[in-house]
Amino acid sequence: MALLEYKCPNCGGAIQFDPGTQEMTCPYCESVMDVQALKSMDEAIAQNQKSESIDWGYMGGDWRTDEQQGMAVYSCKSCGGEIVGDETLGATSCPFCGNPVVMTSKFSGTLRPEIVIPFKLGKDAALAALQKHYLKKRLLPAVFKKKNHLDEIKGVYVPFWLFNADADAHIEYNATKVRRWSDSTYDYTETSTYRVVREGGIGFNHVPVDGSRAIDDTLMESIEPFYMKDAVDFQTAYLAGFFANKYDVDADESIPRANERIKNSTSSEFAKTVTGYNTVTPQSTNIKLKSGGFRYALLPVWLLGTSWQGRNFIFAMNGQTGKFVGDLPLDKRAYWGWFWKISGIAAAALIIIVQILISL
């Protein structure tokens, strides 16, 4: 299994991609190199891999057959240490010497991504976003904010399928308008019912669907959007210093999710055009999709994990835009304190209102 380590031409140390400068940097001698200058190295590696046989399992005699499933073993070129990982692992760091490595065979041939959005925000930005996420959370346990430690923080290039499609829609709605008035004798209500029809087409480009089973789809959709203006042709140099996975959910498997997202967005956009009514209810929806193809891409995500009272909490930050999401624990004592405090205020207000009414 081929491993790639980008070496500094000045000191021989392992170099990595820096989101801040968008260049390759050496943490040892602080040399800076242009990513595009390493393109020839990628091409040479791709040529060498044409004759390379790919082995996804560990061949040691000490492992049982069932233990080898889904596992791959690599040897670090810097220190010789063995790196054991999931078979979808495409980039990581050596646990012994810390040098960033890229499993090049995971991104060659049919597995090679077409485009990548390089990280724009670094680790410090992710940590700052987590602290900001804690702010003004009155029901967050104080000890969680003060004493908790992150179990893990890592920048990950997540595999995505990006779908293009045109949607032709015919949607009918039942809508109502309500008019009320009064005279000296009666109160009147008039309800008018309308049949509203909307028909037309809408195009979608780069609708993302997460191609990794290990990462929650809802979490990934929560940190959208990713902006394709920053996408560049794939180069393994962008992976240096980060984690990366190849897809284990293929494009065909992802089509139903893409279709669902496109149809939901189409319905939502058409519904926005039905205005001026008191109520609007869809009665029939007919949306036909015409495929415009898809692309395989790696998109930047910071994943942060911590634990609290036996529960794991995962946070995610868009490595391009900084959008941050994640669930937080609830301080039950604080919750009930606020509940009874609000209930007490409401009860006191009710007593005052009753006393005023009695005195009138």
Side-chain angles (χ1 to χ4, degrees):
M1 187 75 70
L3 290 185
L4 171 62
E5 293 177 78
Y6 289 99
K7 296 290 188 180
C8 175
N10 297 318
C11 70
I15 59 177
Q16 59 191 30
F17 179 72
D18 178 22
T21 63
Q22 294 291 290
E23 293 180 308
M24 303 296 289
T25 61
C26 176
Y28 305 101
C29 68
E30 299 183 350
S31 296
V32 178
M33 286 136 279
D34 180 57
V35 173
Q36 295 300 320
L38 301 175
K39 190 173 183 179
S40 59
M41 185 181 294
D42 281 356
E43 293 171 350
I45 291 166
Q47 185 66 28
N48 291 336
Q49 285 178 345
K50 288 183 178 179
S51 60
E52 180 187 336
S53 61
I54 298 177
D55 177 11
W56 299 108
Y58 182 71
M59 299 306 295
D62 294 334
W63 293 98
R64 298 194 308 269
T65 301
D66 60 334
E67 291 177 318
Q68 295 179 43
Q69 294 179 359
M71 180 175 62
V73 177
Y74 313 87
S75 179
C76 176
K77 290 185 178 181
S78 292
C79 69
E82 285 193 338
I83 305 169
V84 181
D86 184 274
E87 65 175 7
T88 63
L89 186 66
T92 184
S93 58
C94 176
F96 304 101
C97 67
N99 283 342
V101 294
V102 179
M103 291 68 171
T104 55
S105 57
K106 299 300 177 66
F107 301 104
S108 63
T110 58
L111 301 178
R112 183 181 176 87
E114 294 180 57
I115 56 176
V116 57
I117 295 181
F119 273 88
K120 299 293 183 184
L121 300 170
K123 187 175 184 178
D124 289 343
L127 291 171
L130 178 64
Q131 294 302 315
K132 186 177 179 180
H133 192 58
Y134 290 160
L135 294 178
K136 298 182 181 179
K137 302 295 191 302
R138 296 180 182 275
L139 300 182
L140 183 67
V143 177
F144 184 85
K145 290 186 288 186
K146 294 178 181 178
K147 296 183 179 179
N148 85 302
H149 64 279
L150 282 173
D151 300 323
E152 187 175 38
I153 175 170
K154 58 184 180 181
V156 182
Y157 281 105
V158 178
F160 277 86
W161 298 104
L162 305 178
F163 291 89
N164 300 330
D166 292 322
D168 291 321
H170 180 97
I171 306 177
E172 297 185 6
Y173 308 85
N174 278 349
T176 64
K177 287 184 178 180
V178 179
R179 186 168 69 96
R180 293 182 175 87
W181 71 95
S182 302
D183 59 22
S184 58
T185 307
Y186 299 104
D187 294 326
Y188 302 91
T189 300
E190 176 188 79
T191 302
S192 301
T193 302
Y194 301 85
R195 174 175 173 263
V196 182
V197 178
R198 291 291 185 268
E199 192 172 55
I202 184 171
F204 294 86
N205 290 320
H206 299 124
V207 176
V209 177
D210 174 15
S212 173
R213 298 186 195 279
I215 301 178
D216 182 74
D217 293 344
T218 303
L219 191 66
M220 292 298 95
E221 291 174 8
S222 298
I223 61 173
E224 293 178 12
F226 291 92
Y227 296 106
M228 291 300 120
K229 63 181 179 64
D230 291 328
V232 296
D233 291 338
F234 174 77
Q235 279 187 247
T236 52
Y238 290 111
L239 309 186
F242 297 94
F243 290 82
N245 285 355
K246 79 174 185 69
Y247 65 85
D248 55 2
V249 179
D250 63 26
D252 288 342
E253 241 184 306
S254 301
I255 288 174
R257 181 58 181 160
N259 289 347
E260 179 186 5
R261 299 199 70 190
I262 292 170
K263 287 182 177 181
N264 288 342
S265 295
T266 300
S267 297
S268 176
E269 290 304 310
F270 273 65
K272 291 177 183 177
T273 69
V274 185
T275 60
Y277 300 94
N278 293 99
T279 65
V280 176
T281 306
Q283 286 301 121
S284 65
T285 301
N286 184 11
I287 300 175
K288 296 181 179 179
L289 302 182
K290 181 180 179 181
S291 173
F294 60 86
R295 306 181 80 181
Y296 174 31
L298 296 181
L299 304 184
V301 178
W302 282 100
L303 293 175
L304 303 87
T306 189
S307 56
W308 168 253
Q309 294 185 345
R311 289 183 58 196
N312 294 323
F313 294 89
I314 303 297
F315 309 96
M317 188 183 86
N318 186 314
Q320 180 194 33
T321 67
K323 185 176 180 181
F324 194 98
V325 298
D327 293 330
L328 291 169
L330 174 69
D331 186 335
K332 293 182 179 179
R333 179 177 295 180
Y335 169 81
W336 286 110
W338 274 90
F339 176 83
W340 292 118
K341 183 178 181 179
I342 293 172
S343 298
I345 293 172
L350 180 60
I351 291 172
I352 293 172
I353 291 172
V354 171
Q355 289 176 341
I356 292 173
L357 291 174
I358 292 174
S359 63
L360 293 178

